[in-house]
Amino acid sequence: AQRVTQPEKLLSVFKGAPVELKCNYSYSGSPELFWYVQYSRQRLQLLLRHISRESIKGFTADLNKGETSFHLKKPFAQEEDSAMYYCALSGSNDYKLSFGAGTTVTVRA
Amino acid sequence: NAGVTQTPKFQVLKTGQSMTLQCAQDMNHEYMSWYRQDPGMGLRLIHYSVGAGITDQGEVPNGYNVSRSTTEDFPLRLLSAAPSQTSVYFCASKGQGNYGYTFGSGTRLTVV
């Protein structure tokens, strides 16, 4: 069974401070990991996927298979980063996407 | 290119009523899914489809039916609405080889 855990429900940081959102997963095969972002009352948008190893809006995430983690990081948070962030997982040959409970990030001025 | 379109955006139902949430995508995606979003629980998979004529259950299928007669459409039917089905419902689609799902804007359903 696949499972995604986001231990922090709420995260509050000051503008310009670093922010890190934790994500741990359990999966028996080779997973594909994603971060989705949902701004207030909007649809979910794909932010990052581990396979592309890209940086979007200053965010990066590294897949650590040893620790089964896919933490999301940004060195300098901005007010527009305030949103709900979901970590999600699917199998390499699987189309089902499993989500964590989400972390609400508030960036204070 | 509209992406994934969900209707209606808002709906209030009385307990016991039935209704259909519509979802359509114009990207020729094979895979489509329905999720419900509840506070503190993230998004939970209700039903999914890997192509026209093929559907299967997700984590929380009870009380919901789906069908996939065309590639474009994937409606979600509530058979007899219950207050526990008050939620925000998201439809999503994904093409083969495309790693990310595209989500609709959601339907906010209240059952009283």
Side-chain angles (χ1 to χ4, degrees):
Chain A
Q2 54 198 56
R3 184 180 179 87
V4 180
T5 303
Q6 292 180 252
E8 304 131 333
K9 289 188 177 180
L10 302 170
L11 204 55
S12 180
V13 299
F14 284 104
K15 178 181 174 182
V19 61
E20 180 179 29
L21 287 73
K22 291 186 169 46
C23 173
N24 290 91
Y25 67 90
S26 63
Y27 186 73
S28 56
S30 296
E32 293 183 357
L33 277 297
F34 308 86
W35 276 99
Y36 280 83
V37 60
Q38 185 181 30
Y39 301 103
S40 181
R41 293 189 173 244
Q42 294 187 24
R43 70 184 70 198
L44 275 79
Q45 303 171 36
L46 179 64
L47 181 62
L48 282 176
R49 52 188 187 184
H50 89 272
I51 199 164
S52 61
R53 302 184 66 83
E54 57 197 343
S55 173
I56 303 292
K57 299 184 179 181
F59 286 98
T60 58
D62 289 319
L63 178 61
N64 186 323
K65 292 187 178 180
E67 295 183 358
T68 60
S69 67
F70 188 56
H71 303 329
L72 183 68
K73 301 176 184 178
K74 184 170 183 176
F76 307 103
Q78 303 300 314
E79 290 179 75
E80 55 265 29
D81 296 328
S82 295
M84 172 76 90
Y85 292 81
Y86 289 101
C87 184
L89 173 154
S90 70
S92 55
N93 295 310
D94 194 355
Y95 33 77
K96 289 184 290 182
L97 200 57
S98 296
F99 286 85
T103 299
T104 301
V105 173
T106 302
V107 181
R108 302 176 185 277
Chain B
N1 191 340
V4 179
T5 302
Q6 288 184 240
T7 56
K9 292 190 184 302
F10 302 93
Q11 183 70 50
V12 179
L13 287 179
K14 293 183 178 178
T15 297
Q17 286 185 316
S18 62
M19 80 157 294
T20 299
L21 279 62
Q22 301 292 343
C23 175
Q25 53 91 9
D26 60 1
M27 299 170 283
N28 203 32
H29 283 170
E30 292 90 348
Y31 308 129
M32 296 187 75
S33 302
W34 275 102
Y35 291 86
R36 58 176 291 172
Q37 182 184 39
D38 300 291
M41 306 191 76
L43 280 81
R44 292 180 293 170
L45 182 63
I46 304 171
H47 285 285
Y48 63 96
S49 169
V50 300
I54 307 170
T55 64
D56 206 346
Q57 297 180 348
E59 299 173 63
V60 289
N62 292 342
Y64 307 95
N65 273 355
V66 292
S67 60
R68 185 96 180 268
S69 56
T70 66
T71 299
E72 294 78 19
D73 299 300
F74 190 44
L76 178 73
R77 297 183 186 84
L78 278 70
L79 309 172
S80 177
S84 61
Q85 293 178 305
T86 293
S87 187
V88 181
Y89 292 85
F90 286 99
C91 178
S93 73
K94 173 183 174 304
Q96 199 165 28
N98 178 338
Y99 293 108
Y101 268 91
T102 299
F103 280 80
S105 58
T107 295
R108 188 172 294 271
L109 176 69
T110 302
V111 183
V112 298

